[in-house]
Amino acid sequence: MSAITGSTHQRRVLLLGGTAEARALAALLADQPAIAVVSSLAGRVVDPRLPVGEVRIGGFGGAAGLTRWLSEHHIDAVVDATHPYAARMRAAAVEAATTAGVAHLRLERPGWTAQQGDRWHRVPDVDSAVRMLPALGRRVLLTTGRQSLAAFLPLSGLWILARVVDAPAEPVPAHVQLLRSRGPYNVAGELELMRSHRIDVLVTKDSGGPLTEAKLAAARYLGLPVLMIDRPAPLASSMMVTTVEEAMRWLSGLPAQPG
Ligand code: NAP
């Protein structure tokens, strides 16, 4: 198990990561001597982009395991900068921070906004997307990630190009082609991908941010429908900011630890 190194005067922060925002925040905090930070990754991706500074990898064992971890490592604050769709980690972070009496902040980038010419169909979850998809197209670019891929596999009447960072453990059926790749993407590349595979519908989460938004511009340009899976509902109890700068301001307002 990793331990945060640092003096007793420092505030100790657990930064739940796996996003560009978490890496940006870790890089800024590396220059802050008053704050000792350890970044945490789930360990899903074989070759993750690592943040600057100390990193631990792997689950905590639910809210109870995280509560123990926070107290064993004398953590003063949890910044949850996991992906907008990492709903289990998000809930566990709130529960553990509350139980352990530790300050908690959610850093979550805003979702995307539809523009003129967009043909978005918003659905609340993956199951709704699976039900609606056959009515929207026949040749699908599926960009919702490896974890939701299994739900789309029974749609054998469609041809699916599934873009994933790592391949799933099980082989996929013949009507599904895997494309292993990791962003960022640009509009020219996304147009070429959609045209060369004669894609007629795009499926995406509302991840937000610039790294993967080029697919939306390409779909708009080609006039394609987009099946947009909404984010899980926000947690009422969570203090939330949307930018790394706001997270830095919140951290600078934490009470200093007695020496
Ligand atoms: P999730 O369903 O909310 O989390 C499942 C379990 O994975 C959690 O209960 C926790 O295990 C562990 N976990 C998740 N994030 C962790 C972290 N940062 N550090 C340590 N353990 C973590 O989350 P997910 O959708 O699988 O996402 C996993 C990671 O991938 C997150 O860090 C997220 O930021 C990143 N990511 C997710 C997506 C997406 O679309 N979901 C996209 C890009 C990046 P325990 O219960 O054992 O603690």
Side-chain angles (χ1 to χ4, degrees), residues 90-176:
R90 184 184 68 169
V94 171
E95 186 181 334
T98 306
T99 311
V102 163
H104 171 275
L105 180 72
R106 171 77 176 152
L107 166 57
E108 186 173 304
R109 69 177 92 118
W112 289 310
T113 307
Q115 298 180 24
Q116 196 175 5
D118 279 329
R119 297 176 56 204
W120 292 5
H121 301 263
R122 284 193 174 273
V123 287
D125 51 33
V126 169
D127 290 344
S128 311
V130 171
R131 280 196 298 276
M132 187 186 270
L133 185 53
L136 294 180
R138 284 281 167 270
R139 297 183 62 84
V140 182
L141 176 57
L142 180 65
T143 63
T144 54
R146 184 181 40 158
Q147 292 188 75
S148 58
L149 177 56
F152 291 92
L153 298 184
L155 296 174
S156 55
L158 309 182
W159 183 82
I160 300 176
L161 181 63
R163 186 157 69 185
V164 288
V165 176
D166 290 315
E170 301 295 321
V172 292
H175 67 281
V176 177

Side-chain angles (χ1 to χ4, degrees), residues 17-18 40-42 44 58-62 82-83 86-89 147 205:
S40 176
L41 302 177
R44 290 267 189 290
F60 296 93
T82 55
H83 192 267
R88 276 192 291 160
M89 188 70 249
Q147 292 188 75
K205 293 173 176 169

Side-chain angles (χ1 to χ4, degrees), residues 240-259:
M240 195 172 101
V241 295
T242 57
T243 66
V244 170
E245 293 70 28
E246 288 171 294
M248 283 298 284
R249 275 199 292 282
W250 182 85
L251 284 165
S252 67
L254 286 176
Q257 292 307 297

Side-chain angles (χ1 to χ4, degrees), residues 192-209:
E192 165 60 19
L193 182 74
M194 291 179 190
R195 282 183 171 136
S196 63
H197 291 90
R198 293 181 287 115
I199 296 299
D200 60 14
V201 58
L202 168 68
V203 185
T204 178
K205 293 173 176 169
D206 187 7
S207 297

